């Protein structure tokens, strides 16, 4: 079984409700860390410019770079669900996982001396609930589930490679994105810092 996220780039308005809900569930008080983050980008050249958003968290990759880099096994892949998890007690805070992940999913929080990352709201899911980011999204741009079920539900035009995200061939992320049309050709893409 491979569990993962679906993200509909055509529906996301960049409201960041998913990001706030995730931080709230994890009780992260620091300003910086965001286990789920919304990235705003701009594509094209004047006068044909489009702004869009990408909601990113841990992609629970098939070949996670973070687990390979972790010297203690604190970052590991659950054999049953395929979710990438972190064991705080086994972590030596070397931050190898932070440096290895091409998506920036594991994040070190100095004030807590701890690594934070999306665990797909494992405890909530075990109680029969969705991850908080999925239920918080007012536009229903996020979903979570078994990858084959998500493909069947949302169609064949899904990708894990979109708008300057890292190439998926190395880590094989369990992420399905419904891309939006960014215009003709290969538009220049720039991140907008809000």
């Amino acid at each position: 079984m491979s569990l993962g996220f679906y993200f509909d780039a055509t529906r996301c308005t960049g409201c960041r409700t998913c990001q706030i809900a995730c931080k709230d569930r994890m009780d992260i008080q620091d300003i910086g860390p965001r286990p789920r983050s919304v990235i705003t980008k701009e594509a094209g050249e004047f006068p044909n410019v489009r702004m869009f958003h990408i909601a990113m968290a841990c992609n629970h990759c098939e070949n996670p770079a973070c687990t390979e880099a972790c010297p203690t096994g604190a970052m590991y892949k659950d054999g049953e669900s395929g979710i990438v998890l972190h064991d705080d007690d086994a972590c030596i805070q070397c931050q190898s996982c932070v440096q290895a992940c091409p998506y920036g999913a594991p994040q070190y929080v100095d004030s807590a001396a701890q690594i934070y990352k999306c665990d797909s709201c494992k405890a909530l899911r075990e109680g029969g609930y969705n991850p908080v980011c999925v239920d918080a999204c007012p536009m229903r741009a996020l979903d979570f589930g078994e990858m084959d079920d998500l493909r069947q539900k949302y169609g064949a035009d899904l990708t894990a490679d979109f708008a300057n995200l890292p190439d998926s061939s190395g880590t094989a992320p369990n992420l399905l994105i419904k891309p939006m049309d960014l215009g003709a050709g290969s538009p220049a893409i720039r991140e907008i810092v809000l």
Side-chain angles (χ1 to χ4, degrees):
M1 175 190 327
S2 292
L3 296 172
F5 284 101
Y6 163 80
F7 171 65
D8 186 341
T10 69
R11 296 183 68 92
C12 181
T13 63
C15 71
R16 292 168 171 72
T17 305
C18 60
Q19 179 177 295
I20 294 165
C22 179
K23 283 187 73 139
D24 184 56
R25 185 196 70 86
M26 291 188 165
D27 195 28
I28 300 174
Q29 304 296 316
D30 292 48
I31 293 172
R34 297 177 311 235
R36 173 161 294 280
S37 63
V38 177
I39 304 158
T40 300
K41 296 194 176 202
E42 174 185 79
E45 299 293 337
F46 179 80
N48 300 311
V49 179
R50 296 197 64 181
M51 186 170 76
F52 61 98
H53 315 280
I54 303 172
M56 292 294 299
C58 178
N59 296 318
H60 305 289
C61 301
E62 290 297 321
N63 307 308
C66 60
T67 62
E68 189 175 312
C70 180
T72 65
M75 192 70 74
Y76 65 98
K77 191 168 175 68
D78 179 65
E80 187 177 320
S81 67
I83 295 299
V84 177
L85 298 169
H86 184 260
D87 180 350
D88 294 340
D89 294 331
C91 182
I92 59 172
Q93 301 160 13
C94 67
Q95 301 178 50
S96 296
C97 59
V98 174
Q99 296 165 9
C101 176
Y103 297 98
Q107 297 174 32
Y108 184 72
V109 178
D110 285 320
S111 64
Q114 184 174 327
I115 298 289
Y116 284 91
K117 68 168 286 301
C118 166
D119 65 355
S120 70
C121 294
K122 183 177 186 281
L124 287 176
R125 288 188 303 99
E126 287 172 350
Y129 298 97
N130 286 323
V132 294
C133 60
V134 171
D135 284 347
C137 179
M139 299 306 293
R140 298 298 174 244
L142 289 169
D143 202 353
F144 182 84
E146 211 291 312
M147 295 299 286
D148 289 337
D149 294 343
L150 292 173
R151 281 185 194 91
Q152 187 174 36
K153 183 176 180 180
Y154 294 107
D157 63 339
L158 307 174
T159 184
D161 295 301
F162 175 64
N164 289 13
L165 290 178
D167 179 19
S168 67
S169 64
T171 59
N174 283 308
L175 170 68
L176 297 172
I177 298 173
K178 180 178 180 180
M180 65 184 305
D181 181 9
L182 298 179
S186 180
I189 298 175
R190 297 162 297 281
E191 187 167 336
I192 299 171
V193 179
L194 297 175

